[in-house]
Amino acid sequence: MIKINGLKKNYKDFNLDVTMELQSGTINGLVGTNGAGKSTTFKAILGLIRYKEGEVIINGKNIKDFTFEDKARIGCVMTDSFFSESFKIKDIAAIMKATYKTFDEKAFLDKCEHYKLPKDKMLKEFSNGMKAKMKVITALSYDTDVLILDEPTVGLDVVARDEILDEIRDYMEANEERTVIISSHISSDIEKLCDTTYMIHDGKIVFEDDTYKLLSEYAALKVSEEEFAGLDKTHVKAFRKEKYGYECLTDEKDYYIENYPSMVVEKMSVDEMMMILIKGERI
Amino acid sequence: MKGLIVKDLRIAWGQKSLFVLMLVCAIVCLFTIKDPTFIVGYMCLVCASIGTTTCAYDELNNGMAFLMTLPYSREKYVIEKYLFSISIGFIAWVISSLISALYVIISHQPFDTGFILSEVFFLIPLLLIPAVMIPIILKFGSARSRIILFIVIGIVFALGGVLALAGSTHIGFANEINNNIEIVTFSFKSLVSSFWIAGAGTGISLLCYLASMIVSIFIMKNKEY
């Protein structure tokens, strides 16, 4: 379980103010635009930045009190950071073996072979897709309780992305007490993988709900100005002006289908929901 | 700390051909210059900077952020860097000293305390180079630290130049400083044997090394990635 209580981090032109509670046994997606605060939140969880207010608690322990053993139970993928690119796979295996007691060298090397990662080349000679796979394979190569994945599928094609998502599912199935938090610009990854979706904007969590609910109960109501004026907005979360009138985000699409049979009710992707929540007005 | 040591050894091993080339150059120079202390000074200077080279490698492609997610504290990261630097430097010092001693024996040069002391003196830069470089690289990064080092070296040389030239100038205070330095140095040499100077120099350098490590720990603890 990961608890982030009132974490505040102030930069010159950006302020992060996040509270989240990620339950054990869940995969949690964090979506948001560039600069919304996703990577800063991950850095705070990983102890890479200092903050004056708030706390990050992983499995009941404040990360500031973490020992070697506690830190060794966390796996992570960072979108822009990894081992030196002068290393080869065998170097990474040697370092991981010397670092993590639970590192499974055979499984790691098998996975590298499965994903056709060249053993005799330095990381700097890898394609972006290969590097992304390497990072995920490394993070999954030892026993952890928590997995923090910042854009793990960036640079991957559809097939490779699907394989990586399967790896994460397998990781969760192996121990259902684990917690995963993942950020991605590709909303379909979040929709396919995550139990809960969090949306972050301007350093604040602006929305959170179960992903299955987002996909089954959330919808866009497309209404004219007259319809909007007479609309029962009890279940409208946000709306924005469009050429034809208004597009509204609801979390009770069945209510509107039953009570407004002529209304256009359309399913939405996480990206589309994000657009309304960020660019529209919230109720 | 084992993982960090393995990482640094792998980085150093990646440059093995460069080190072999440098060793060959040093041996060739030893036989051409015919100065047995040259190889020790050369190898110490090269190997003393290996620890700082690994810092630069860690930093490449924003790698420090990922390294800080490994289960090592920032304090341990710094301690490992210093232990690694001194270990590699010391090994290089021992090997080059042995080669140097072998050369002295082969070439029938005097194997006396003067020779041994000259070898011991090289422990001072061996300790001082990483002591200066590591905190600067950790604080400013490898790119900016190069500029800062140029400035620092420039200032040191400028001061040295001013003092060296002071004797030929008619500027009162410069003359006075220069004279005082010469008096102190001369008195020191006449009072204390070279053996004690080498010992004290190494001891002071070791203290600087430890102080530098404390400064580096402080720098790392305050860094954000």
Side-chain angles (χ1 to χ4, degrees):
Chain A
M1 184 196 242
I2 304 174
K3 261 181 164 180
I4 305 174
N5 293 329
L7 180 83
K8 288 192 176 110
K9 174 72 184 169
N10 302 320
Y11 293 100
K12 261 185 194 170
D13 49 359
F14 175 76
N15 297 317
L16 184 80
D17 184 356
V18 171
T19 296
M20 293 167 92
E21 190 166 326
L22 315 179
Q23 299 298 328
S24 296
T26 60
I27 303 178
N28 304 272
L30 185 62
V31 294
T33 52
N34 289 332
K38 299 189 296 291
S39 293
T40 311
T41 304
F42 284 141
K43 284 178 181 178
I45 298 172
L46 289 164
L48 297 176
I49 54 172
R50 286 176 296 132
Y51 41 87
K52 280 183 182 166
E53 275 185 63
E55 56 184 4
V56 178
I57 293 170
I58 297 179
N59 291 337
K61 196 168 185 181
N62 193 317
I63 59 157
K64 287 180 178 168
D65 303 322
F66 263 24
T67 59
F68 176 90
E69 284 75 22
D70 297 321
K71 264 186 117 180
R73 303 295 301 169
I74 297 175
C76 86
V77 168
M78 300 184 77
T79 184
D80 59 348
S81 181
F82 194 52
F83 283 116
S84 164
E85 292 200 341
S86 62
F87 285 147
K88 294 177 182 172
I89 287 174
K90 63 176 180 185
D91 298 316
I92 293 173
I95 298 165
M96 295 298 285
K97 195 177 173 182
T99 303
Y100 296 99
K101 284 177 194 164
T102 57
F103 175 67
D104 188 342
E105 189 176 12
K106 190 183 174 301
F108 173 76
L109 295 174
D110 287 348
K111 279 268 156 62
C112 290
E113 204 168 313
H114 171 75
Y115 286 106
K116 297 183 174 63
L117 300 178
K119 281 184 183 170
D120 51 345
K121 283 188 177 174
M122 289 182 187
L123 290 185
K124 63 183 166 198
E125 295 171 78
F126 281 27
S127 67
N128 285 338
M130 284 173 176
K131 283 179 194 168
K133 286 177 194 172
M134 189 71 229
K135 287 178 187 179
V136 175
I137 292 168
T138 307
L140 296 174
S141 65
Y142 56 101
D143 190 22
T144 55
D145 300 321
V146 168
L147 197 57
I148 297 156
L149 307 166
D150 190 9
E151 303 276 359
T153 54
V154 72
L156 293 176
D157 59 51
V158 186
V159 178
R161 252 180 24 228
D162 222 44
E163 285 180 318
I164 292 298
L165 297 185
D166 278 341
E167 293 285 351
I168 299 166
R169 284 189 198 99
D170 290 345
Y171 166 84
M172 280 303 284
E173 275 170 24
N175 180 351
E176 293 189 347
E177 285 303 299
R178 288 168 163 168
T179 313
V180 176
I181 180 164
I182 177 172
S183 75
S184 179
H185 274 110
I186 304 153
S187 63
S188 62
D189 288 354
I190 301 289
E191 291 166 10
K192 281 186 212 165
L193 187 71
C194 298
D195 301 300
T196 311
T197 300
Y198 291 83
M199 206 170 283
I200 189 166
H201 183 60
D202 276 344
K204 290 185 178 67
I205 300 293
V206 291
F207 174 81
E208 68 169 276
D209 216 331
D210 294 337
T211 312
Y212 87 89
K213 203 176 160 195
L214 293 184
L215 300 175
S216 60
E217 294 173 28
Y218 279 66
L221 311 175
K222 299 195 169 180
V223 294
S224 64
E225 289 198 21
E226 295 78 47
E227 282 177 315
F228 183 74
L231 186 73
D232 174 4
K233 298 185 185 70
T234 318
H235 303 293
V236 172
K237 294 234 157 201
F239 64 90
R240 69 170 173 172
K241 189 91 178 76
E242 292 287 355
K243 282 178 188 168
Y244 55 79
Y246 286 93
E247 185 180 35
C248 308
L249 174 68
T250 177
D251 59 347
E252 290 282 351
K253 73 171 182 197
D254 292 341
Y255 173 81
Y256 291 98
I257 291 170
E258 276 175 30
N259 294 293
Y260 301 88
S262 61
M263 190 179 285
V264 178
V265 180
E266 283 181 1
K267 274 195 161 189
M268 298 179 92
S269 67
V270 170
D271 280 344
E272 289 163 329
M273 289 178 208
M274 194 162 72
M275 288 295 282
I276 296 188
L277 282 162
I278 290 170
K279 292 200 165 179
E281 286 179 49
R282 302 183 70 206
I283 296 176
Chain B
M1 205 184 283
K2 199 174 148 195
L4 293 173
I5 294 169
V6 170
K7 171 185 68 63
D8 284 350
L9 283 173
R10 295 256 163 186
I11 292 172
W13 185 247
Q15 300 170 66
K16 59 184 179 297
S17 47
L18 185 70
F19 292 128
V20 170
L21 187 70
M22 284 177 167
L23 184 64
V24 170
C25 284
I27 292 170
V28 169
C29 289
L30 174 68
F31 283 93
T32 50
I33 300 170
K34 295 180 178 169
D35 178 359
T37 56
F38 174 80
I39 188 169
V40 187
Y42 183 75
M43 290 310 290
C44 282
L45 286 175
V46 170
C47 292
S49 58
I50 288 180
T52 59
T53 309
T54 62
C55 287
Y57 268 85
D58 288 350
E59 204 195 63
L60 275 176
N61 310 110
N62 194 31
M64 281 302 285
F66 180 75
L67 287 180
M68 290 302 114
T69 69
L70 297 180
Y72 301 108
S73 64
R74 295 178 180 213
E75 195 173 13
K76 279 202 173 146
Y77 175 85
V78 172
I79 293 169
E80 186 275 337
K81 279 287 168 229
Y82 280 79
L83 284 178
F84 183 78
S85 292
I86 202 167
S87 306
I88 294 284
F90 191 71
I91 290 167
W93 179 78
V94 169
I95 292 171
S96 55
S97 294
L98 287 174
I99 294 171
S100 174
L102 202 66
Y103 175 80
V104 167
I105 294 164
I106 292 167
S107 61
H108 306 292
Q109 288 186 28
F111 193 92
D112 52 13
T113 47
F115 167 73
I116 294 167
L117 272 176
S118 63
E119 308 282 277
V120 173
F121 268 115
F122 285 111
L123 286 172
I124 295 171
L126 196 70
L127 291 162
L128 288 182
I129 290 172
V132 173
M133 295 280 286
I134 293 176
I136 291 177
I137 290 183
L138 292 179
K139 175 72 183 170
F140 300 103
S142 57
R144 278 199 294 163
S145 64
R146 269 183 230 125
I147 300 166
I148 289 161
L149 272 174
F150 273 124
I151 295 169
V152 170
I153 292 167
I155 292 169
V156 170
F157 272 87
L159 282 174
V162 166
L163 289 175
L165 292 170
S168 58
T169 64
H170 301 289
I171 305 166
F173 77 93
N175 257 329
E176 202 177 321
I177 292 171
N178 193 36
N179 289 338
N180 287 340
I181 288 172
E182 278 181 17
I183 291 164
V184 169
T185 313
F186 183 76
S187 316
F188 196 63
K189 274 183 182 171
S190 60
L191 284 172
V192 186
S193 73
S194 298
F195 178 79
W196 283 107
I197 293 173
T202 309
I204 291 165
S205 303
L206 194 61
L207 286 177
C208 290
Y209 198 75
L210 294 172
S212 164
M213 190 162 75
I214 292 164
V215 171
S216 293
I217 290 171
F218 179 77
I219 291 168
M220 278 300 284
K221 282 193 171 173
N222 286 293
K223 276 202 106 168
E224 294 193 333
Y225 296 97

